Amino acid sequence: MTASPPLERPATGHAADTDTLTVPRAELDALRAQVRVLADRAAIAELIDRYITLLDTQDDHGFDDTWPHTVFTDDCRLEFPVGTVEGIRDVAAFHFDRKSRFNRTHHLAANYSVQADGDTALLRIHLVASHIHHDDGPDPGGRFDIGGYSRAQAVRTPDGWRLHRWRFHLMFSDGTGPRPGPDPRALRTSRPRP
């Protein structure tokens, strides 16, 4: 590997705003590629954060069927222990129905693994969520807590990155599950198809 030539500065005596630098094309191209990777990772992390926040807030003002377009592709597929959705048309209703079984929810996501390759990215996201039943007071003792991880695929679209696939793998649950809904013991041991 050959050393890059030193940066050149014209000897004009003018202010720093007239300084020029000479950078080899290969270094400039490598820097552009690194910036694109960082920008993609930041955009994908923001997409995940938007979805996780919407899990708790998408129906704050009543049913809203427009929010999925900010998160998912038209041909998305979502898999959870409580059901599967194919296509964006049913995403809002699915989430609204599942969340309406509780008074409120609180989702936290962390440990994002993002493996971007051009216009697609494979993701892994760890998730912990608390679900407060309708009959619980301000200091609930009857929460339904879950934890696990999601494997997902994001794709670059003309509107930015969107989730194309999302599969939640339940690792644990504690408390009484959704009312009405599956027996918590069934949720605790269920695993989505690999």
Side-chain angles (χ1 to χ4, degrees), residues 32 52 75 93 111 124 142 148 166:
R32 284 184 177 132
I52 299 303
D75 60 345
N111 301 348
R124 180 180 168 122
W166 184 277

Side-chain angles (χ1 to χ4, degrees), residues 106-126:
H106 185 70
H107 292 75
L108 296 172
N111 301 348
Y112 303 167
S113 170
V114 177
Q115 297 173 352
D117 184 11
D119 293 337
T120 63
L122 298 178
L123 317 173
R124 180 180 168 122
I125 304 101
H126 290 212

